[in-house]
Amino acid sequence: LASASRFMKLKGESGYDNGTYWGAKEFFQKRDADAKAAKAASKSSNKSANTTPAKAATSASVAEFFSPATAKKRPADSSCSPGGPAKKSKGAAFDELVDQARGVDLPTEAIFDNCDEVRMKALAFIAAEGVTTAAFLRACGNINSNSWNRFLSTKGPTKGRQIEAYPKAYRFLEKVRILRGQPKTKKRINAEAKEGPDGYSTERERTHMWVLGF
């Protein structure tokens, strides 16, 4: 992926906003935890020497992470059995997800994730789904790449809220959340209570104040 190529060229602490960082961080954490659990289980197991539980656990970890909402709930189907239908490519699966998300009606147009949260969730989503940034921007309603880059370059919960990438990315990710049946986070619920029905503002922040003298 282009995201991974850019990330590998960075040095020091750079790359925090890159989707590869978030995807790799969660993957390796899950891999290490699963490997430790598998190693502990293998000590009390009487399986043959050819069994490699740590490797199997790592593979399961990868599958679960890159299909975060469906890996645990997905029922067995014939796509993995001989004679079954061909397995969908990653691109085809993403296109299907986008089509389904477009059919989801949001209960409100209000936004309840701040700018930093949308940036983090978007980058993590791109890494987890294994799609290009361009594909993600098209899925969000053809976000302009310049708009997206400007939005990513800002930091702060209210920074970049006037950029079109903010509401478009939020609403696409919200549709995916609803489509996959994922619950609201505690932070999201608190935001709804604090911000009210209008949610977070998308108006440009005031940086100057006029003082009139009489």
Side-chain angles (χ1 to χ4, degrees):
L1 293 174
S3 173
S5 298
R6 291 194 300 272
F7 181 72
M8 295 302 294
K9 295 177 182 179
L10 300 175
K11 296 181 180 180
E13 297 182 356
S14 301
Y16 178 82
D17 289 336
N18 189 289
T20 300
Y21 168 81
W22 292 100
K25 177 177 181 292
E26 185 167 345
F27 164 67
F28 284 116
Q29 286 178 336
K30 285 180 63 62
R31 186 196 65 174
D32 291 344
D34 289 343
K36 289 179 180 179
K39 185 176 180 180
S42 67
K43 291 182 179 180
S44 59
S45 174
N46 294 322
K47 292 183 179 180
S48 65
N50 293 327
T51 303
T52 55
K55 183 176 181 181
T58 300
S59 299
S61 173
V62 174
E64 181 180 339
F65 175 70
F66 285 100
S67 298
T70 56
K72 294 182 178 179
K73 299 179 181 179
R74 183 184 300 146
D77 56 45
S78 59
S79 62
C80 297
S81 60
K87 189 176 181 179
K88 294 179 181 178
S89 67
K90 189 172 293 186
F94 183 69
D95 289 341
E96 182 176 336
L97 171 66
V98 173
D99 288 340
Q100 292 176 345
R102 286 173 178 165
V104 174
D105 292 325
L106 295 177
T108 175
E109 289 295 302
I111 299 174
F112 294 104
D113 282 336
N114 65 41
C115 295
D116 281 341
E117 290 167 337
V118 171
R119 279 187 281 267
M120 182 183 69
K121 288 182 178 180
L123 292 173
F125 177 84
I126 292 171
E129 297 297 326
V131 298
T132 64
T133 298
F136 175 74
L137 298 185
R138 288 194 297 271
C140 293
N142 294 317
I143 295 176
N144 181 277
S145 60
N146 290 330
S147 170
W148 179 246
N149 290 333
R150 284 190 294 114
F151 181 61
L152 284 186
S153 67
T154 59
K155 288 181 174 62
T158 62
K159 302 302 181 183
R161 68 186 189 184
Q162 78 282 3
I163 302 174
E164 69 155 357
Y166 173 46
K168 284 189 174 183
Y170 168 81
R171 287 173 184 135
F172 172 71
L173 294 172
E174 179 66 0
K175 287 185 176 184
V176 171
R177 181 191 70 78
I178 294 174
L179 178 65
R180 288 175 165 173
Q182 296 171 331
K184 297 177 182 178
T185 63
K186 183 177 180 180
K187 193 171 185 179
R188 160 67 184 274
I189 294 173
N190 290 339
E192 291 181 356
K194 180 180 178 180
E195 301 300 325
D198 294 333
Y200 289 109
S201 173
T202 58
E203 295 182 359
R204 183 182 297 274
E205 286 189 286
R206 294 182 179 180
T207 57
H208 298 83
M209 181 179 295
W210 294 95
V211 178
L212 301 178
F214 295 94

